[in-house]
Amino acid sequence: MTDTTQSARPEEIWILGAGGRIGSAVTANLAAQGLKPVLVGRERDGDRLRKTAVDLGSRVVIANGIDSIAAEITRQRPAVVFNGIGNYAQTAPVIARACMPGGHYLDLAADLTAVPRLLDLDQEAEQSGSTLVTGSGFGVLATEAVVIKLCQDRPTPPPCASTRWPRCPSAPESSAPPSPPP
Protein backbone atom coordinates (compact mmCIF):
# COMPACT_ATOMS: atom_id res chain seq x y z
CA MET A 1 0.00 0.00 0.00
CA THR A 2 1.29 3.48 -0.90
CA ASP A 3 1.63 6.13 1.80
CA THR A 4 -0.75 8.82 0.53
CA THR A 5 0.91 11.55 2.60
CA GLN A 6 3.84 11.48 0.19
CA SER A 7 3.88 12.41 -3.45
CA ALA A 8 3.78 9.42 -5.78
CA ARG A 9 6.06 11.39 -8.13
CA PRO A 10 8.48 13.18 -5.81
CA GLU A 11 10.60 14.52 -8.67
CA GLU A 12 7.76 16.14 -10.60
CA ILE A 13 6.94 19.81 -10.76
CA TRP A 14 3.78 20.43 -12.73
CA ILE A 15 3.31 23.73 -14.56
CA LEU A 16 -0.39 24.44 -15.07
CA GLY A 17 -0.91 26.76 -18.00
CA ALA A 18 2.49 25.82 -19.44
CA GLY A 19 1.35 27.05 -22.86
CA GLY A 20 0.77 30.59 -21.63
CA ARG A 21 3.16 33.49 -21.21
CA ILE A 22 3.81 32.99 -17.48
CA GLY A 23 3.73 29.19 -17.59
CA SER A 24 6.23 29.03 -20.43
CA ALA A 25 8.53 31.48 -18.62
CA VAL A 26 8.40 29.37 -15.44
CA THR A 27 9.04 26.25 -17.52
CA ALA A 28 12.06 27.87 -19.19
CA ASN A 29 13.45 28.99 -15.83
CA LEU A 30 13.13 25.53 -14.32
CA ALA A 31 14.66 23.93 -17.42
CA ALA A 32 17.60 26.36 -17.21
CA GLN A 33 18.20 24.98 -13.71
CA GLY A 34 18.35 21.44 -15.06
CA LEU A 35 14.84 20.44 -13.98
CA LYS A 36 12.28 18.74 -16.21
CA PRO A 37 8.88 20.21 -15.36
CA VAL A 38 5.72 18.46 -16.48
CA LEU A 39 3.79 20.69 -18.86
CA VAL A 40 0.07 20.80 -18.16
CA GLY A 41 -2.27 22.44 -20.61
CA ARG A 42 -5.35 22.23 -22.78
CA GLU A 43 -5.72 20.10 -25.88
CA ARG A 44 -5.58 23.20 -28.10
CA ASP A 45 -2.00 23.80 -26.82
CA GLY A 46 -1.10 20.10 -26.99
CA ASP A 47 1.13 20.08 -30.08
CA ARG A 48 3.21 23.02 -28.88
CA LEU A 49 3.48 21.54 -25.36
CA ARG A 50 4.52 18.17 -26.74
CA LYS A 51 7.26 19.77 -28.85
CA THR A 52 8.55 21.72 -25.83
CA ALA A 53 8.41 18.58 -23.67
CA VAL A 54 10.48 16.63 -26.22
CA ASP A 55 13.06 19.44 -26.25
CA LEU A 56 13.22 19.33 -22.42
CA GLY A 57 13.09 15.55 -22.07
CA SER A 58 9.91 16.04 -20.08
CA ARG A 59 6.30 14.98 -20.43
CA VAL A 60 2.87 16.53 -20.99
CA VAL A 61 -0.45 16.19 -19.21
CA ILE A 62 -3.48 17.34 -21.21
CA ALA A 63 -6.39 18.37 -19.02
CA ASN A 64 -9.25 20.58 -20.16
CA GLY A 65 -10.87 22.42 -17.28
CA ILE A 66 -10.26 22.76 -13.57
CA ASP A 67 -12.04 19.53 -12.60
CA SER A 68 -9.98 17.52 -15.09
CA ILE A 69 -6.76 19.12 -13.83
CA ALA A 70 -7.66 18.41 -10.20
CA ALA A 71 -8.51 14.79 -11.05
CA GLU A 72 -5.11 14.29 -12.73
CA ILE A 73 -3.28 15.86 -9.78
CA THR A 74 -5.15 13.58 -7.37
CA ARG A 75 -4.45 10.54 -9.54
CA GLN A 76 -0.79 11.20 -10.40
CA ARG A 77 0.34 12.91 -7.15
CA PRO A 78 3.06 15.33 -8.36
CA ALA A 79 5.37 16.77 -5.71
CA VAL A 80 4.76 20.42 -6.63
CA VAL A 81 2.08 22.16 -8.67
CA PHE A 82 2.51 25.69 -10.01
CA ASN A 83 -0.85 27.23 -10.94
CA GLY A 84 -0.34 29.61 -13.84
CA ILE A 85 -3.84 29.34 -15.28
CA GLY A 86 -5.23 32.35 -13.47
CA ASN A 87 -8.70 32.98 -12.04
CA TYR A 88 -7.10 32.09 -8.73
CA ALA A 89 -10.18 32.84 -6.63
CA GLN A 90 -11.81 29.84 -8.34
CA THR A 91 -8.87 27.62 -9.27
CA ALA A 92 -6.58 27.87 -6.22
CA PRO A 93 -8.76 26.13 -3.62
CA VAL A 94 -9.68 23.29 -5.99
CA ILE A 95 -6.13 22.67 -7.18
CA ALA A 96 -4.57 23.12 -3.73
CA ARG A 97 -6.95 20.55 -2.24
CA ALA A 98 -6.09 18.15 -5.07
CA CYS A 99 -2.42 18.48 -4.07
CA MET A 100 -3.19 17.29 -0.55
CA PRO A 101 -2.01 15.24 1.17
CA GLY A 102 1.70 15.75 0.79
CA GLY A 103 1.88 17.68 -2.47
CA HIS A 104 2.78 21.35 -2.55
CA TYR A 105 1.06 24.23 -4.36
CA LEU A 106 2.00 27.73 -5.46
CA ASP A 107 0.45 30.46 -7.58
CA LEU A 108 0.78 34.09 -8.54
CA ALA A 109 -2.50 35.29 -7.05
CA ALA A 110 -2.58 38.99 -6.37
CA ASP A 111 -6.10 39.87 -5.37
CA LEU A 112 -8.02 40.24 -2.16
CA THR A 113 -10.45 37.45 -3.03
CA ALA A 114 -8.04 34.72 -4.09
CA VAL A 115 -5.34 35.15 -1.46
CA PRO A 116 -7.60 34.77 1.61
CA ARG A 117 -9.31 31.75 0.03
CA LEU A 118 -6.00 29.94 -0.15
CA LEU A 119 -4.88 31.16 3.28
CA ASP A 120 -8.10 29.71 4.70
CA LEU A 121 -6.79 26.25 3.78
CA ASP A 122 -3.78 26.65 6.08
CA GLN A 123 -4.80 24.19 8.81
CA GLU A 124 -5.97 21.60 6.30
CA ALA A 125 -2.64 21.90 4.47
CA GLU A 126 -0.60 21.72 7.67
CA GLN A 127 -2.44 18.59 8.81
CA SER A 128 -1.89 16.94 5.42
CA GLY A 129 1.81 17.80 5.18
CA SER A 130 1.35 20.19 2.27
CA THR A 131 2.69 23.68 1.75
CA LEU A 132 0.54 26.28 -0.02
CA VAL A 133 2.14 29.46 -1.34
CA THR A 134 0.06 32.21 -2.87
CA GLY A 135 1.27 35.47 -4.37
CA SER A 136 4.60 33.85 -5.20
CA GLY A 137 5.29 36.65 -7.67
CA PHE A 138 4.83 39.08 -4.76
CA GLY A 139 3.13 41.88 -6.52
CA VAL A 140 2.11 44.75 -4.25
CA LEU A 141 -1.48 43.58 -3.84
CA ALA A 142 -0.49 40.03 -2.96
CA THR A 143 1.92 41.26 -0.31
CA GLU A 144 -0.69 43.61 1.14
CA ALA A 145 -3.31 40.85 1.19
CA VAL A 146 -0.99 38.62 3.21
CA VAL A 147 -0.27 41.45 5.66
CA ILE A 148 -3.99 42.20 6.00
CA LYS A 149 -4.72 38.53 6.72
CA LEU A 150 -1.92 38.28 9.27
CA CYS A 151 -3.11 41.45 11.04
CA GLN A 152 -6.74 40.40 11.34
CA ASP A 153 -8.03 40.55 14.93
CA ARG A 154 -4.85 42.24 16.17
CA PRO A 155 -4.73 45.69 17.76
CA THR A 156 -3.83 48.63 15.55
CA PRO A 157 -0.27 49.75 16.29
CA PRO A 158 0.36 53.34 17.40
CA PRO A 159 1.49 55.79 14.73
CA CYS A 160 5.18 55.82 13.94
CA ALA A 161 7.41 58.42 15.56
CA SER A 162 9.83 59.88 13.09
CA THR A 163 11.27 63.25 12.33
CA ARG A 164 13.25 61.92 9.37
CA TRP A 165 10.28 61.40 7.06
CA PRO A 166 7.83 64.28 6.80
CA ARG A 167 4.98 62.00 5.65
CA CYS A 168 5.20 59.94 8.84
CA PRO A 169 3.40 61.70 11.71
CA SER A 170 5.18 62.04 15.03
CA ALA A 171 3.92 59.95 17.91
CA PRO A 172 2.02 61.75 20.68
CA GLU A 173 4.10 62.80 23.71
CA SER A 174 1.87 61.00 26.19
CA SER A 175 1.66 57.25 26.58
CA ALA A 176 -2.11 57.35 26.03
CA PRO A 177 -3.29 55.82 22.78
CA PRO A 178 -3.87 58.35 19.99
CA SER A 179 -7.36 59.68 19.49
CA PRO A 180 -9.18 58.43 16.41
CA PRO A 181 -9.32 60.88 13.52
CA PRO A 182 -12.44 63.07 13.39
Side-chain angles (χ1 to χ4, degrees), residues 95-145:
I95 294 169
R97 279 198 171 103
C99 292
M100 295 182 224
H104 308 293
Y105 169 91
L106 68 144
D107 67 32
L108 299 173
D111 69 76
L112 291 173
T113 302
V115 171
R117 285 184 182 174
L118 194 67
L119 294 176
D120 286 344
L121 300 177
D122 179 58
Q123 285 190 342
E124 187 178 339
E126 185 177 346
Q127 291 170 352
S128 74
S130 294
T131 300
L132 310 179
V133 177
T134 188
S136 62
F138 278 100
V140 173
L141 186 55
T143 304
E144 289 176 358

Short mmCIF file of all heavy atoms in Angstrom, two decimals, residues 95-145:
data_model
loop_
_atom_site.label_atom_id
_atom_site.label_comp_id
_atom_site.label_asym_id
_atom_site.label_seq_id
_atom_site.Cartn_x
_atom_site.Cartn_y
_atom_site.Cartn_z
N ILE A 95 -7.42 23.28 -6.84
CA ILE A 95 -6.13 22.67 -7.18
C ILE A 95 -5.32 22.39 -5.92
O ILE A 95 -4.71 21.33 -5.78
CB ILE A 95 -5.35 23.56 -8.17
CG1 ILE A 95 -6.11 23.61 -9.50
CG2 ILE A 95 -3.94 23.03 -8.37
CD1 ILE A 95 -5.59 24.64 -10.46
N ALA A 96 -5.32 23.33 -4.97
CA ALA A 96 -4.57 23.12 -3.73
C ALA A 96 -5.08 21.90 -2.98
O ALA A 96 -4.29 21.09 -2.48
CB ALA A 96 -4.66 24.36 -2.85
N ARG A 97 -6.39 21.75 -2.92
CA ARG A 97 -6.95 20.55 -2.24
C ARG A 97 -6.57 19.27 -2.98
O ARG A 97 -6.32 18.24 -2.35
CB ARG A 97 -8.45 20.68 -2.12
CG ARG A 97 -8.86 21.53 -0.95
CD ARG A 97 -10.32 21.31 -0.57
NE ARG A 97 -10.60 21.98 0.67
CZ ARG A 97 -11.26 23.14 0.76
NH1 ARG A 97 -11.72 23.74 -0.32
NH2 ARG A 97 -11.47 23.69 1.94
N ALA A 98 -6.49 19.34 -4.30
CA ALA A 98 -6.09 18.15 -5.07
C ALA A 98 -4.64 17.77 -4.77
O ALA A 98 -4.28 16.60 -4.84
CB ALA A 98 -6.28 18.40 -6.56
N CYS A 99 -3.82 18.75 -4.40
CA CYS A 99 -2.42 18.48 -4.07
C CYS A 99 -2.28 17.75 -2.73
O CYS A 99 -1.25 17.10 -2.49
CB CYS A 99 -1.63 19.78 -4.01
SG CYS A 99 -1.43 20.60 -5.59
N MET A 100 -3.26 17.90 -1.87
CA MET A 100 -3.19 17.29 -0.55
C MET A 100 -3.63 15.83 -0.61
O MET A 100 -4.50 15.50 -1.40
CB MET A 100 -4.10 18.06 0.41
CG MET A 100 -3.66 19.48 0.66
SD MET A 100 -4.78 20.24 1.86
CE MET A 100 -5.04 21.84 1.12
N PRO A 101 -3.05 14.99 0.19
CA PRO A 101 -2.01 15.24 1.17
C PRO A 101 -0.62 15.14 0.55
O PRO A 101 -0.40 14.40 -0.40
CB PRO A 101 -2.22 14.12 2.19
CG PRO A 101 -2.77 12.99 1.38
CD PRO A 101 -3.58 13.63 0.28
N GLY A 102 0.29 15.87 1.11
CA GLY A 102 1.70 15.75 0.79
C GLY A 102 2.24 16.51 -0.38
O GLY A 102 3.43 16.76 -0.44
N GLY A 103 1.39 16.90 -1.34
CA GLY A 103 1.88 17.68 -2.47
C GLY A 103 1.87 19.16 -2.12
O GLY A 103 1.18 19.59 -1.20
N HIS A 104 2.64 19.92 -2.84
CA HIS A 104 2.78 21.35 -2.55
C HIS A 104 2.25 22.19 -3.71
O HIS A 104 2.31 21.77 -4.86
CB HIS A 104 4.24 21.68 -2.24
CG HIS A 104 4.80 20.77 -1.20
ND1 HIS A 104 4.38 20.78 0.11
CD2 HIS A 104 5.71 19.77 -1.29
CE1 HIS A 104 5.02 19.86 0.80
NE2 HIS A 104 5.84 19.23 -0.03
N TYR A 105 1.77 23.38 -3.40
CA TYR A 105 1.06 24.23 -4.36
C TYR A 105 1.60 25.65 -4.28
O TYR A 105 1.87 26.15 -3.19
CB TYR A 105 -0.43 24.24 -4.02
CG TYR A 105 -1.23 25.27 -4.77
CD1 TYR A 105 -1.83 24.96 -5.99
CD2 TYR A 105 -1.36 26.57 -4.29
CE1 TYR A 105 -2.55 25.92 -6.70
CE2 TYR A 105 -2.07 27.53 -4.99
CZ TYR A 105 -2.66 27.20 -6.18
OH TYR A 105 -3.37 28.14 -6.89
N LEU A 106 1.73 26.30 -5.45
CA LEU A 106 2.00 27.73 -5.46
C LEU A 106 1.35 28.38 -6.66
O LEU A 106 1.08 27.75 -7.67
CB LEU A 106 3.50 28.04 -5.42
CG LEU A 106 4.35 27.68 -6.61
CD1 LEU A 106 5.41 28.75 -6.78
CD2 LEU A 106 5.01 26.34 -6.38
N ASP A 107 1.07 29.69 -6.50
CA ASP A 107 0.45 30.46 -7.58
C ASP A 107 0.94 31.89 -7.53
O ASP A 107 1.77 32.25 -6.70
CB ASP A 107 -1.09 30.38 -7.51
CG ASP A 107 -1.69 31.06 -6.29
OD1 ASP A 107 -1.14 32.07 -5.80
OD2 ASP A 107 -2.75 30.59 -5.83
N LEU A 108 0.42 32.68 -8.43
CA LEU A 108 0.78 34.09 -8.54
C LEU A 108 -0.36 35.02 -8.13
O LEU A 108 -0.36 36.18 -8.50
CB LEU A 108 1.18 34.43 -9.98
CG LEU A 108 2.37 33.67 -10.54
CD1 LEU A 108 2.53 33.97 -12.03
CD2 LEU A 108 3.63 34.01 -9.80
N ALA A 109 -1.32 34.50 -7.39
CA ALA A 109 -2.50 35.29 -7.05
C ALA A 109 -2.11 36.64 -6.48
O ALA A 109 -1.15 36.76 -5.72
CB ALA A 109 -3.37 34.54 -6.04
N ALA A 110 -2.86 37.64 -6.85
CA ALA A 110 -2.58 38.99 -6.37
C ALA A 110 -3.88 39.76 -6.22
O ALA A 110 -4.00 40.90 -6.67
CB ALA A 110 -1.64 39.71 -7.34
N ASP A 111 -4.87 39.13 -5.60
CA ASP A 111 -6.10 39.87 -5.37
C ASP A 111 -6.70 39.50 -4.02
O ASP A 111 -6.41 38.46 -3.46
CB ASP A 111 -7.12 39.65 -6.51
CG ASP A 111 -7.69 38.25 -6.55
OD1 ASP A 111 -8.55 37.94 -5.72
OD2 ASP A 111 -7.28 37.48 -7.44
N LEU A 112 -7.50 40.38 -3.51
CA LEU A 112 -8.02 40.24 -2.16
C LEU A 112 -9.12 39.20 -2.03
O LEU A 112 -9.61 38.96 -0.94
CB LEU A 112 -8.50 41.60 -1.64
CG LEU A 112 -7.37 42.59 -1.38
CD1 LEU A 112 -7.93 43.96 -1.02
CD2 LEU A 112 -6.45 42.09 -0.29
N THR A 113 -9.51 38.56 -3.11
CA THR A 113 -10.45 37.45 -3.03
C THR A 113 -9.69 36.13 -3.03
O THR A 113 -9.93 35.26 -2.20
CB THR A 113 -11.45 37.49 -4.21
OG1 THR A 113 -12.13 38.73 -4.19
CG2 THR A 113 -12.45 36.36 -4.10
N ALA A 114 -8.76 35.98 -3.94
CA ALA A 114 -8.04 34.72 -4.09
C ALA A 114 -7.11 34.42 -2.92
O ALA A 114 -7.08 33.29 -2.42
CB ALA A 114 -7.24 34.73 -5.39
N VAL A 115 -6.35 35.39 -2.49
CA VAL A 115 -5.34 35.15 -1.46
C VAL A 115 -5.97 34.64 -0.16
O VAL A 115 -5.56 33.61 0.37
CB VAL A 115 -4.45 36.40 -1.24
CG1 VAL A 115 -3.55 36.23 -0.03
CG2 VAL A 115 -3.62 36.68 -2.49
N PRO A 116 -7.00 35.30 0.38
CA PRO A 116 -7.60 34.77 1.61
C PRO A 116 -8.22 33.39 1.44
O PRO A 116 -8.21 32.58 2.36
CB PRO A 116 -8.68 35.80 1.96
CG PRO A 116 -8.25 37.05 1.29
CD PRO A 116 -7.55 36.62 0.04
N ARG A 117 -8.74 33.09 0.26
CA ARG A 117 -9.31 31.75 0.03
C ARG A 117 -8.25 30.66 0.18
O ARG A 117 -8.50 29.60 0.72
CB ARG A 117 -9.98 31.66 -1.34
CG ARG A 117 -11.30 32.37 -1.38
CD ARG A 117 -12.00 32.20 -2.69
NE ARG A 117 -13.26 32.96 -2.66
CZ ARG A 117 -14.04 33.10 -3.69
NH1 ARG A 117 -13.74 32.54 -4.85
NH2 ARG A 117 -15.15 33.80 -3.59
N LEU A 118 -7.06 30.93 -0.30
CA LEU A 118 -6.00 29.94 -0.15
C LEU A 118 -5.49 29.93 1.29
O LEU A 118 -5.26 28.86 1.86
CB LEU A 118 -4.86 30.19 -1.13
CG LEU A 118 -3.90 29.00 -1.23
CD1 LEU A 118 -4.59 27.80 -1.88
CD2 LEU A 118 -2.67 29.35 -1.99
N LEU A 119 -5.34 31.10 1.89
CA LEU A 119 -4.88 31.16 3.28
C LEU A 119 -5.84 30.45 4.22
O LEU A 119 -5.42 29.90 5.24
CB LEU A 119 -4.68 32.61 3.72
CG LEU A 119 -3.55 33.36 3.01
CD1 LEU A 119 -3.52 34.81 3.47
CD2 LEU A 119 -2.21 32.69 3.22
N ASP A 120 -7.12 30.41 3.88
CA ASP A 120 -8.10 29.71 4.70
C ASP A 120 -7.88 28.19 4.73
O ASP A 120 -8.43 27.50 5.59
CB ASP A 120 -9.53 30.01 4.22
CG ASP A 120 -9.98 31.41 4.59
OD1 ASP A 120 -9.35 32.04 5.47
OD2 ASP A 120 -10.97 31.87 3.99
N LEU A 121 -7.08 27.68 3.82
CA LEU A 121 -6.79 26.25 3.78
C LEU A 121 -5.56 25.87 4.61
O LEU A 121 -5.10 24.73 4.60
CB LEU A 121 -6.57 25.79 2.33
CG LEU A 121 -7.72 25.97 1.37
CD1 LEU A 121 -7.32 25.53 -0.04
CD2 LEU A 121 -8.95 25.21 1.85
N ASP A 122 -5.03 26.84 5.36
CA ASP A 122 -3.78 26.65 6.08
C ASP A 122 -3.78 25.44 7.00
O ASP A 122 -2.89 24.61 6.94
CB ASP A 122 -3.44 27.92 6.88
CG ASP A 122 -2.16 27.76 7.67
OD1 ASP A 122 -1.12 27.49 7.04
OD2 ASP A 122 -2.21 27.88 8.91
N GLN A 123 -4.79 25.32 7.87
CA GLN A 123 -4.80 24.19 8.81
C GLN A 123 -4.94 22.85 8.09
O GLN A 123 -4.29 21.88 8.44
CB GLN A 123 -5.91 24.37 9.84
CG GLN A 123 -5.57 25.41 10.88
CD GLN A 123 -6.56 25.41 12.02
OE1 GLN A 123 -7.66 24.89 11.91
NE2 GLN A 123 -6.15 26.01 13.14
N GLU A 124 -5.79 22.82 7.09
CA GLU A 124 -5.97 21.60 6.30
C GLU A 124 -4.65 21.20 5.65
O GLU A 124 -4.26 20.02 5.66
CB GLU A 124 -7.04 21.84 5.24
CG GLU A 124 -7.44 20.65 4.45
CD GLU A 124 -8.55 20.97 3.45
OE1 GLU A 124 -9.29 21.97 3.60
OE2 GLU A 124 -8.68 20.19 2.49
N ALA A 125 -3.93 22.18 5.11
CA ALA A 125 -2.64 21.90 4.47
C ALA A 125 -1.61 21.43 5.49
O ALA A 125 -0.88 20.46 5.25
CB ALA A 125 -2.14 23.14 3.74
N GLU A 126 -1.56 22.10 6.63
CA GLU A 126 -0.60 21.72 7.67
C GLU A 126 -0.85 20.28 8.13
O GLU A 126 0.09 19.50 8.27
CB GLU A 126 -0.69 22.68 8.84
CG GLU A 126 0.35 22.42 9.90
CD GLU A 126 0.31 23.42 11.04
OE1 GLU A 126 -0.34 24.47 10.91
OE2 GLU A 126 0.94 23.13 12.07
N GLN A 127 -2.10 19.94 8.35
CA GLN A 127 -2.44 18.59 8.81
C GLN A 127 -2.12 17.53 7.76
O GLN A 127 -1.86 16.38 8.09
CB GLN A 127 -3.91 18.52 9.21
CG GLN A 127 -4.21 19.30 10.46
CD GLN A 127 -5.71 19.44 10.73
OE1 GLN A 127 -6.54 19.06 9.92
NE2 GLN A 127 -6.04 20.01 11.88
N SER A 128 -2.14 17.92 6.49
CA SER A 128 -1.89 16.94 5.42
C SER A 128 -0.43 16.93 4.96
O SER A 128 -0.09 16.18 4.05
CB SER A 128 -2.81 17.21 4.23
OG SER A 128 -2.38 18.34 3.52
N GLY A 129 0.40 17.77 5.57
CA GLY A 129 1.81 17.80 5.18
C GLY A 129 2.08 18.52 3.88
O GLY A 129 3.08 18.25 3.22
N SER A 130 1.19 19.42 3.51
CA SER A 130 1.35 20.19 2.27
C SER A 130 1.70 21.63 2.58
O SER A 130 1.31 22.16 3.62
CB SER A 130 0.05 20.15 1.46
OG SER A 130 -0.22 18.84 1.03
N THR A 131 2.39 22.26 1.65
CA THR A 131 2.69 23.68 1.75
C THR A 131 1.96 24.39 0.62
O THR A 131 2.02 23.96 -0.53
CB THR A 131 4.21 23.94 1.62
OG1 THR A 131 4.87 23.24 2.67
CG2 THR A 131 4.53 25.42 1.69
N LEU A 132 1.26 25.48 0.96
CA LEU A 132 0.54 26.28 -0.02
C LEU A 132 1.14 27.67 -0.03
O LEU A 132 1.24 28.31 1.01
CB LEU A 132 -0.95 26.37 0.35
CG LEU A 132 -1.67 25.07 0.67
CD1 LEU A 132 -3.12 25.35 1.03
CD2 LEU A 132 -1.57 24.08 -0.48
N VAL A 133 1.54 28.13 -1.21
CA VAL A 133 2.14 29.46 -1.34
C VAL A 133 1.32 30.23 -2.37
O VAL A 133 1.19 29.81 -3.51
CB VAL A 133 3.61 29.38 -1.80
CG1 VAL A 133 4.19 30.77 -2.00
CG2 VAL A 133 4.44 28.57 -0.82
N THR A 134 0.80 31.36 -1.95
CA THR A 134 0.06 32.21 -2.87
C THR A 134 0.82 33.52 -3.03
O THR A 134 1.63 33.89 -2.19
CB THR A 134 -1.39 32.46 -2.38
OG1 THR A 134 -2.11 33.13 -3.41
CG2 THR A 134 -1.43 33.27 -1.10
N GLY A 135 0.58 34.20 -4.13
CA GLY A 135 1.27 35.47 -4.37
C GLY A 135 2.76 35.28 -4.54
O GLY A 135 3.54 36.15 -4.18
N SER A 136 3.17 34.14 -5.12
CA SER A 136 4.60 33.85 -5.20
C SER A 136 5.35 34.84 -6.09
O SER A 136 6.57 34.91 -6.00
CB SER A 136 4.85 32.42 -5.67
OG SER A 136 4.33 32.21 -6.96
N GLY A 137 4.64 35.60 -6.90
CA GLY A 137 5.29 36.65 -7.67
C GLY A 137 5.47 37.92 -6.85
O GLY A 137 6.18 38.82 -7.21
N PHE A 138 4.81 37.97 -5.71
CA PHE A 138 4.83 39.08 -4.76
C PHE A 138 4.66 40.44 -5.40
O PHE A 138 5.46 41.33 -5.23
CB PHE A 138 6.07 39.03 -3.87
CG PHE A 138 5.87 38.08 -2.74
CD1 PHE A 138 6.42 36.82 -2.81
CD2 PHE A 138 5.10 38.41 -1.64
CE1 PHE A 138 6.20 35.91 -1.79
CE2 PHE A 138 4.89 37.50 -0.62
CZ PHE A 138 5.44 36.25 -0.70
N GLY A 139 3.55 40.57 -6.09
CA GLY A 139 3.13 41.88 -6.52
C GLY A 139 2.68 42.65 -5.27
O GLY A 139 2.50 42.07 -4.20
N VAL A 140 2.49 43.91 -5.39
CA VAL A 140 2.11 44.75 -4.25
C VAL A 140 0.82 44.27 -3.61
O VAL A 140 0.74 44.11 -2.39
CB VAL A 140 2.00 46.23 -4.68
CG1 VAL A 140 1.46 47.08 -3.56
CG2 VAL A 140 3.35 46.73 -5.14
N LEU A 141 -0.19 43.98 -4.40
CA LEU A 141 -1.48 43.58 -3.84
C LEU A 141 -1.38 42.26 -3.10
O LEU A 141 -1.94 42.10 -2.03
CB LEU A 141 -2.55 43.51 -4.93
CG LEU A 141 -3.96 43.24 -4.44
CD1 LEU A 141 -4.39 44.26 -3.40
CD2 LEU A 141 -4.92 43.25 -5.59
N ALA A 142 -0.63 41.32 -3.63
CA ALA A 142 -0.49 40.03 -2.96
C ALA A 142 0.18 40.20 -1.60
O ALA A 142 -0.22 39.62 -0.61
CB ALA A 142 0.30 39.06 -3.82
N THR A 143 1.22 41.01 -1.56
CA THR A 143 1.92 41.26 -0.31
C THR A 143 0.99 41.92 0.69
O THR A 143 0.92 41.53 1.85
CB THR A 143 3.16 42.14 -0.56
OG1 THR A 143 3.98 41.49 -1.53
CG2 THR A 143 3.94 42.36 0.71
N GLU A 144 0.24 42.93 0.23
CA GLU A 144 -0.69 43.61 1.14
C GLU A 144 -1.78 42.67 1.63
O GLU A 144 -2.18 42.73 2.79
CB GLU A 144 -1.30 44.82 0.45
CG GLU A 144 -0.31 45.95 0.25
CD GLU A 144 -0.89 47.11 -0.53
OE1 GLU A 144 -2.05 47.04 -0.97
OE2 GLU A 144 -0.16 48.10 -0.70
N ALA A 145 -2.26 41.78 0.78
CA ALA A 145 -3.31 40.85 1.19
C ALA A 145 -2.80 39.92 2.28
O ALA A 145 -3.53 39.62 3.23
CB ALA A 145 -3.80 40.04 -0.02
#
